[in-house]
Amino acid sequence: MTRSEENYLKTIFHLGGSKTTTPITTNAIAEQMETKPSSVTDMAKRLSEKGLVNYKKYQGVSLSELGIKTALNIIRKHRLWEVFLVRKLDFTWDEVHEVAEQLEHIKSEKLIDKIDELLGFPKYDPHGDPIPTKNGDIDEQGYDKQLLSELPVGTKGTCVAVKDSSVPFLQYLDKHGISIGKTIHILGKEVFDGSLHLRVGNREHTVSQQIATNLYLQSK
Amino acid sequence: MTRSEENYLKTIFHLGGSKTTTPITTNAIAEQMETKPSSVTDMAKRLSEKGLVNYKKYQGVSLSELGIKTALNIIRKHRLWEVFLVRKLDFTWDEVHEVAEQLEHIKSEKLIDKIDELLGFPKYDPHGDPIPTKNGDIDEQGYDKQLLSELPVGTKGTCVAVKDSSVPFLQYLDKHGISIGKTIHILGKEVFDGSLHLRVGNREHTVSQQIATNLYLQSK
DNA sequence: ATTATTTTTTAGACAAATCTAAAAAAAGGT
DNA sequence: ACCTTTTTTTAGATTTGTCTAAAAAATAAT
């Protein structure tokens, strides 16, 4: 397994390539990976040779059983390292992704199992995404969560995950005191643009619809 | 900096390439890295282009100032990760090298500084080798240590480092209860083959000269 | 000092992973 | 159904890092 192969598998998984129903297009992969479609075609052939993906010319790519298992293993490593960075080394949630992108490729089963143990076998990463188990089981559902934008005014809930985990979005949330575990109260909604009025802790803010469609709450 | 370039720099450093006096030969590097001399020549040119080594045809390689700084930074990372693996994840000292070979190439200054901090700024790795500082200072001397083979009968000392840190040697030491920090008493010496009779803790062993020339004590 | 041996370098080839430009196939529009 | 546009693939080139085989330089030996 090369690093590049691992990155392709991970991307294909994130684009939904574990379901055989709709194969992932060459273009979609290229765009996501910021590479050229021709490079994707080359890699699709290589991965197909190795039995990691199903690929037929002009018909896109989906992951094989082995491909899914491999992708989940990389995602497991990525997310465990993210938890480690936040909990043990005081990284902020917007800093972890870049470093975890490197750490996820370290080849040592013992290492990642020990990190898992050190962290007390966490179930979710710092963005609220579920961590696959050693056997490749993943709690796709996660918490019983709903997008902030889909909840009615008056709802009170706990922030459990983010949909977008880009650096600017995470920094925006930090600036407004929003993080995983925080209680959020929906005070009002502007019908015109879908913006929401919230109470987070003892502070009140207005957030745009774009924010509201990228934040998951568990309502109570 | 590619991973391969980093590995060459590290190897050149370990072969003594930081002293301009005796350049390191192509063959020596090839042998150490288990590669071919022609590959070393290629890399020597590339590293020379980048100002990391001094290289003139047929005259071997030595590290430039920048090369030394870079090599020490990689060694620093390698050794800090080794300490982390032993102290935080219960790796044994014969297991750490292979994983640290991978971890040393992770690019994040913040990561290694936080690991350093988490460990309380250790000065020595699990084999007793000194850890370079962030600025590239290294305590070459280390402890005021002497090879076990060079000490007189009757000496009592603390094991502070190993010269050979190969897996078989470290496992041999483990089997005989010898580790960094252990007190060793030299009870007798066989003139014929240089083997030594030792007391380690409450056990007594005879060890060959080969063992004795690869173990450092700090006598007291 | 000339030959033999060893070391080092060059030249050319190969694999992985990428790119550009052009060709082929698929999808969309009228 | 035909033409146009988009998507995908092929073909050929490039870079990094490696190799083998042959040439060149340095070292050693008689």
Side-chain angles (χ1 to χ4, degrees), chain B residues 2 4 8 35-36 38-39 42-43 46 58:
Chain B
T2 70
S4 187
Y8 273 92
T35 184
K36 302 292 163 183
S38 55
S39 305
D42 286 351
M43 184 55 88
R46 240 170 303 166
Y58 299 105

Side-chain angles (χ1 to χ4, degrees), chain B residues 70-113:
Chain B
T70 310
L72 283 171
N73 188 246
I74 302 158
I75 291 166
R76 167 176 156 80
K77 290 195 276 181
H78 182 101
R79 293 182 178 166
L80 281 171
W81 278 115
E82 287 194 341
V83 176
F84 171 78
L85 293 172
V86 167
R87 298 229 286 242
K88 299 294 176 183
L89 303 184
D90 297 316
F91 276 59
T92 57
W93 66 350
D94 59 298
E95 293 174 321
V96 296
H97 184 74
E98 191 192 326
V99 184
E101 286 283 294
Q102 298 181 62
L103 288 164
E104 73 190 5
H105 300 291
I106 301 288
K107 283 166 183 55
S108 166
E109 203 177 322
K110 176 162 184 171
L111 174 61
I112 201 63
D113 288 347

Side-chain angles (χ1 to χ4, degrees), chain A residues 132-150:
Chain A
T133 67
K134 218 168 131 63
N135 336 319
D137 299 321
I138 184 169
D139 180 9
E140 294 269 17
Q141 175 71 10
Y143 290 100
D144 177 23
K145 61 189 195 285
Q146 287 167 283
L147 282 177
L148 179 53
S149 58
E150 289 166 352

Side-chain angles (χ1 to χ4, degrees), chain A residues 2 4 8 35-36 38-39 42-43 46 58:
Chain A
T2 68
S4 188
Y8 273 93
T35 183
K36 301 293 162 181
S38 56
S39 306
D42 285 351
M43 183 55 87
R46 257 192 306 258
Y58 299 104

